[in-house]
Amino acid sequence: MNIVLCILVSVLTQSSASKPNILFILADDLGFGDVSWNNPEMITPNLERLAGQGVILDQYYTQPKCSPSRAALMTGLYPFRTGMQRGSIGPFRPTGLPTPFPTLPEILRNQGYSTHLVGKWHLGYCNENYLPTRRGFDSFFGEYAQQADHYTREHEVNRHIGTGYDLRRGENVSYENLGLYSTFLWEEETINILDKASTSDPWFLEVSLTAAHPPYQAPDKYIKMYERKNRRKKQKNNRSDQDNIRKAMITAIDDSVGRIIDKLKSTGLDENTLVVFSSDNGSGHSDANGSLRGKKGYVFEGGVRVPAFIQGTPLLHQMLVTPGYSSSALVHIVDWFPTLLRLSGEKLSNLETDGVDIWEPLTTGEISQREILVYNLDLDDQSKTFQFAVRKNNWKLIWGQTKEFKPHKKEKNELFLFNLARDPNETENLAESEPSIVQELKKIVKNLTKETRTAFHPNRFNLGFPKYHEGLLSPGWCGTGWWKILWNSESTSLGRFVQAL
């Protein structure tokens, strides 16, 4: 049977006519317990229905923060290889995804795909060369930076900085649908693209949602759904009010995704479209990550293990052992890079990637080739504080900082070892009782840190403040090429420091 399945994949990758369209939906700060198949308290019927028609990725991982995860998706490389491991690019930081690395949409264009990004970019905007329209996307409608108000598109109201408006069509400021809730704004644009999409030439469309990232805002009708639930449970306090709004944002996503898929079907494009749904990291609310330990920014499971599924295309359904099954294959967000490119016809031998082609493991139940997963590797070049977190099969090592990485000062370094097969919630530290496994995983860390590129995560520049740019978040106030300095003659002092640990 496996021979037949391999032939089906070969036909797909060799025939340009059968290249699948790719609809990649990326939610923001969606925790493991924020979907109804992991938590019956959540109202996500459309997402659950779609997941039930495809494959749920039960062991799916991202980076602990937004920008590193997005960099991993775009480049197929762990962020420690691209200098993006330090954390999110906050507004007015003069940095971005280094331009020497080819991106997923750039390579897809070489395979005849049109490429589109709707929603959040968050990989740098201070220089024009960082912009999504310069990194492989034919069209862009969305926000450059971390997070704006979901109705006004305004960033960070501050009398010293100025209010920064952030919405672009291409590289031009757009005031379209001002006041429309962000999730519905991205939905409307997505549906417009699908209306015009080619039925003969393949396309890649990333819908990068800005929910459920703060500020917590949602239309009243969704908030009332959860208020009713809370009233039945006799729960009412400020914390539950905020939680109601955050959950309402997710149900609004569910409604929106349902309408997008309905449009896909009405156009007939669903016949050759692969749908991928993912979050970029765990939720900042620990409760939203189910029973998993930690939250967004942490290298504990709650920060990095998130909901995901694939759905669509006749080929996927022909290959599935059974629709709606939950795959236990170990998957990282970098794995989409080789997987989607192989489906597009790109030869994997041409790619430099940390990703593993996961098509067969997800669709046929074959054993995945991935046995090692990197949660994060970061070593500060000013203080030598560090954060190393890796997994080999079911063993996970956290060495150094466990929470959101704090550079430039000495932090308490910790050592944890977990067996995730027996203890997925990371309650039992086995570091003292399993010293040989600790040493084995430390050896993996030390080998990988030889390939680590120094992170560039500067403080924000007042040159980028909106008050100096007519109240806008605008590029043109920083240079690129920082990597030529940091990586030109890689310092061996950090490497020696790691080897001595």
mmCIF file of all heavy atoms in Angstrom, residues 7 310 316 360 387 471:
data_model
loop_
_atom_site.group_PDB
_atom_site.id
_atom_site.type_symbol
_atom_site.label_atom_id
_atom_site.label_comp_id
_atom_site.label_asym_id
_atom_site.label_seq_id
_atom_site.Cartn_x
_atom_site.Cartn_y
_atom_site.Cartn_z
ATOM 1 N N ILE A 7 3.467 6.622 -5.138
ATOM 2 C CA ILE A 7 3.203 6.971 -6.538
ATOM 3 C C ILE A 7 2.270 8.168 -6.610
ATOM 4 O O ILE A 7 2.455 9.085 -7.418
ATOM 5 C CB ILE A 7 2.589 5.759 -7.274
ATOM 6 C CG1 ILE A 7 3.650 4.654 -7.420
ATOM 7 C CG2 ILE A 7 2.052 6.176 -8.634
ATOM 8 C CD1 ILE A 7 3.103 3.339 -7.956
ATOM 9 N N ILE A 310 -4.415 19.823 9.219
ATOM 10 C CA ILE A 310 -4.430 19.997 7.765
ATOM 11 C C ILE A 310 -5.734 19.421 7.251
ATOM 12 O O ILE A 310 -6.294 18.477 7.831
ATOM 13 C CB ILE A 310 -3.230 19.329 7.067
ATOM 14 C CG1 ILE A 310 -3.165 17.823 7.385
ATOM 15 C CG2 ILE A 310 -1.928 20.024 7.459
ATOM 16 C CD1 ILE A 310 -2.112 17.086 6.561
ATOM 17 N N LEU A 316 -5.049 14.370 -0.428
ATOM 18 C CA LEU A 316 -4.962 14.159 1.016
ATOM 19 C C LEU A 316 -5.974 13.112 1.454
ATOM 20 O O LEU A 316 -5.655 12.190 2.200
ATOM 21 C CB LEU A 316 -5.199 15.474 1.755
ATOM 22 C CG LEU A 316 -5.324 15.394 3.277
ATOM 23 C CD1 LEU A 316 -4.046 14.857 3.890
ATOM 24 C CD2 LEU A 316 -5.664 16.759 3.861
ATOM 25 N N GLU A 360 4.071 12.226 4.447
ATOM 26 C CA GLU A 360 3.745 10.825 4.693
ATOM 27 C C GLU A 360 3.432 10.532 6.156
ATOM 28 O O GLU A 360 2.451 9.842 6.446
ATOM 29 C CB GLU A 360 4.875 9.907 4.191
ATOM 30 C CG GLU A 360 4.758 9.538 2.724
ATOM 31 C CD GLU A 360 5.356 10.611 1.826
ATOM 32 O OE1 GLU A 360 5.955 11.564 2.377
ATOM 33 O OE2 GLU A 360 5.232 10.495 0.603
ATOM 34 N N GLN A 387 19.576 30.331 27.313
ATOM 35 C CA GLN A 387 18.372 29.508 27.334
ATOM 36 C C GLN A 387 18.524 28.431 26.268
ATOM 37 O O GLN A 387 18.583 28.729 25.079
ATOM 38 C CB GLN A 387 17.125 30.345 27.026
ATOM 39 C CG GLN A 387 15.837 29.531 27.031
ATOM 40 C CD GLN A 387 14.630 30.386 26.692
ATOM 41 O OE1 GLN A 387 14.413 30.719 25.528
ATOM 42 N NE2 GLN A 387 13.844 30.750 27.702
ATOM 43 N N GLY A 471 2.178 60.243 12.297
ATOM 44 C CA GLY A 471 1.264 59.367 13.018
ATOM 45 C C GLY A 471 1.165 57.962 12.449
ATOM 46 O O GLY A 471 0.212 57.246 12.757
#
